[in-house]
Amino acid sequence: MLPKLLAPAGSMDKLIMAVEYGADEIYFAGKSLGLRAGSKNFTNKGLEEGIEYCHKHGRKSNITVNIVPHNDDLKGFEEYIKYLYKIGADALIVADPGSIEIVKQTIPDMKIHLSTQANTTNYYTANFWHKQGVNRIVLARELSFAEIGEIIKNSPDDLEFEAFIHGAMCISYSGRCLLSSFMTGRYSNKGDCAQPCRWKYNLVEEKRPGEYYPIEENDEGTFIFNSKDMCLVEHMQKFVDLGVKAVKIEGRMKSEYYTAIAVRSYRNALDEILKPESERNTKYWKEELEKASHRDFTYGFYFGNPYKDGQLYTSSSYIRSYDVVGIIKSYDKANGIAWVEQRNKFNEGDVLECFGPKGMHFDVVAMDMKDEKGKKIDSAPHAQQIVQMKIPQEVNPLYILRKKIEN
């Protein structure tokens, strides 16, 4: 049985993209109690719309209430989770024992998923949380395949396990970091991390201000805490073999394009597990993931401690090789005309790549371009302008057009 594929959503647009591109479950947050303060997140009305959209398409909604709360953070907690239950949330992602206790007392039949913030790394801990009423555990990212297998083997059959498979990694153990709050006053465990682990550093001796010791990896400094991004698309069979019930993509604060690429790649890679190995396109899906903004990739701890291979010492910048230039809004099949909402400038004659949820991308030459009124144009420079253009191969709404960045 294939594991469920979880996708992040920091906004309604990203939630729609995640659903349409094949995620089984979507995790998102309201305006409070869910990590990722930098994400737009959802108003109460937005939560209702998001949950309704998930259910309409047969998907589940997991709402994050996974901050590590102080006393003041618990004010209104019971009323909020009652509201989430009322509007149909399928599960709550929780990190704190006190929060779990409140959920169990207030809405006993609500499913509880234990956040990776709780640092579950062994089967004794897993069994403890199961006794507290936890239905699924999001495992710590510092575990190997072998350790995960042992945990699952020694845990109750009705306890589900979820594992991260893609996205940014934190230098601190399962995200429990004080660096941001110490240096900037922005609290990591309230979703407001400034990511000082990715800043440039040099070593200065106390009595020699201004004298920088030559330990840098390059002239800009040394990125001593900067982790590579996780990518496990080549190893989805391992999760299936171990009996992991859900696999999770990181990135509520990332773009719609990232959401589409990541969900599409892992959805197809998972589905292809049911095919003979000769019919799988794993290499292609890895290449697709490289076309979204990312850092160099690592397998994390799945094959043991990566040591220096898990770190990126030369730069904290993202690698970006493609721009999204448009999203298909509608398509006239009889005439082969698409209506495209512009995202970045493109010109008549540009060679674009087009893709949807299934199958490989195909090339499109931007031709017969017209504006919304049908007037001939030779470029689309205006943000979100509607462009008519010829696309002979059939496309559907939410297909994406992208262009390779020159140089």
Side-chain angles (χ1 to χ4, degrees):
M1 185 175 179
L2 296 178
K4 301 298 183 184
L5 177 61
L6 272 83
S11 68
M12 190 63 188
D13 288 338
K14 296 172 190 176
L15 184 147
I16 291 171
M17 197 67 77
V19 168
E20 297 298 331
Y21 273 74
D24 297 299
E25 301 178 14
I26 317 297
Y27 66 99
F28 51 108
K31 292 292 186 180
S32 60
L33 303 176
L35 291 180
R36 302 300 175 267
S39 174
K40 290 181 180 179
N41 292 325
F42 290 73
T43 62
N44 282 0
K45 182 180 179 182
L47 286 169
E48 293 172 21
E49 291 174 350
I51 291 171
E52 182 182 1
Y53 193 89
C54 288
H55 291 171
K56 179 181 177 181
H57 292 82
R59 315 301 165 83
K60 290 189 175 180
S61 56
N62 302 335
I63 309 302
T64 62
V65 287
N66 61 336
I67 68 167
V68 178
H70 289 242
N71 292 327
D72 286 345
D73 297 317
L74 294 175
K75 294 175 182 177
F77 189 97
E78 291 182 21
E79 290 74 17
Y80 180 58
I81 60 174
K82 284 179 183 177
Y83 167 73
L84 294 176
Y85 180 71
K86 179 182 177 182
I87 64 175
D90 294 290
L92 300 183
I93 303 174
V94 183
D96 172 68
S99 300
I100 292 173
E101 183 71 11
I102 294 171
V103 173
K104 294 303 296 180
Q105 291 178 357
T106 308
I107 38 175
D109 54 344
M110 173 61 80
K111 287 191 178 297
I112 297 175
H113 295 179
L114 187 70
S115 172
T116 190
Q117 292 275 303
N119 315 119
T120 303
T121 56
N122 63 78
Y123 56 81
Y124 273 94
T125 301
N127 288 321
F128 168 82
W129 287 119
H130 180 257
K131 292 173 185 175
Q132 310 313 308
V134 169
N135 306 99
R136 180 189 292 178
I137 291 176
V138 186
L139 293 164
R141 300 183 210 196
E142 295 77 18
L143 292 171
S144 66
F145 280 124
E147 290 174 303
I148 291 172
E150 190 173 3
I151 290 171
I152 294 175
K153 181 180 177 181
N154 290 281
S155 297
D157 291 339
D158 61 342
L159 178 59
E160 296 183 352
F161 290 95
E162 180 176 308
F164 276 94
I165 54 170
H166 193 85
M169 296 277 284
C170 181
I171 189 64
S172 185
Y173 210 91
S174 286
R176 285 183 171 266
C177 182
L178 298 177
L179 198 60
S180 180
S181 58
F182 177 76
M183 297 181 74
T184 70
R186 291 170 54 180
Y187 293 86
S188 300
N189 285 313
K190 290 190 177 180
D192 199 24
C193 184
Q195 296 197 33
C197 57
R198 303 193 190 278
W199 296 352
K200 301 173 185 177
Y201 290 93
N202 286 280
L203 181 64
V204 180
E205 197 275 327
E206 179 183 9
K207 296 180 181 179
R208 296 175 175 83
E211 294 184 26
Y212 296 93
Y213 282 72
I215 62 166
E216 63 270 10
E217 298 294 329
N218 62 20
D219 292 339
E220 294 181 345
T222 181
F223 301 89
I224 54 178
F225 302 126
N226 185 42
S227 175
K228 295 179 181 178
D229 286 353
M230 179 188 288
C231 178
L232 269 294
V233 74
E234 300 162 291
H235 299 286
M236 301 314 296
Q237 184 72 57
K238 296 282 289 184
F239 294 98
V240 176
D241 294 342
L242 289 174
V244 173
K245 296 298 184 184
V247 289
K248 188 170 194 171
I249 296 165
E250 179 275 340
R252 270 187 279 160
M253 293 173 64
K254 295 180 181 176
S255 67
E256 292 174 59
Y257 174 61
Y258 169 88
T259 302
I261 283 284
V263 173
R264 170 179 182 260
S265 298
Y266 282 98
R267 174 76 279 150
N268 282 278
L270 279 169
D271 291 345
E272 287 176 2
I273 288 175
L274 302 176
K275 298 179 179 180
E277 193 166 346
S278 60
E279 296 179 24
R280 300 176 190 176
N281 297 295
T282 306
K283 182 180 178 182
Y284 173 78
W285 301 120
K286 173 74 175 296
E287 291 170 351
E288 282 293 286
L289 289 164
E290 290 172 345
K291 291 181 179 180
S293 181
H294 68 286
R295 302 178 186 90
D296 287 346
F297 286 141
T298 175
Y299 298 137
F301 288 79
Y302 282 106
F303 294 96
N305 193 321
Y307 297 104
K308 66 179 182 180
D309 289 335
Q311 296 297 109
L312 187 61
Y313 296 109
T314 55
S315 172
S316 62
S317 299
Y318 282 98
I319 302 167
R320 198 173 111 242
S321 55
Y322 282 79
D323 275 335
V324 177
V325 298
I327 296 178
I328 306 296
K329 306 302 288 184
S330 61
Y331 184 70
D332 178 356
K333 184 177 179 181
N335 297 299
I337 301 295
W339 280 261
V340 179
E341 187 176 81
Q342 188 260 32
R343 287 293 187 270
N344 282 288
K345 181 181 178 180
F346 64 99
N347 302 308
E348 180 95 3
D350 282 348
V351 178
L352 311 176
E353 292 183 0
C354 183
F355 67 88
K358 293 291 185 180
M360 297 185 178
H361 71 269
F362 56 92
D363 288 346
V364 171
V365 178
M367 55 188 293
D368 297 333
M369 292 171 56
K370 298 177 182 178
D371 64 17
E372 213 167 352
K373 296 178 180 179
K375 182 181 177 181
K376 176 71 176 173
I377 56 176
D378 57 13
S379 70
H382 305 301
Q384 294 189 293
Q385 72 179 104
I386 301 299
V387 178
Q388 300 177 43
M389 59 183 288
K390 191 81 171 176
I391 300 183
Q393 188 164 334
E394 184 177 354
V395 295
N396 291 308
L398 295 184
Y399 273 45
I400 291 175
L401 294 168
R402 66 188 174 204
K403 180 182 176 182
K404 188 172 180 60
I405 297 172
E406 298 300 326
N407 194 23

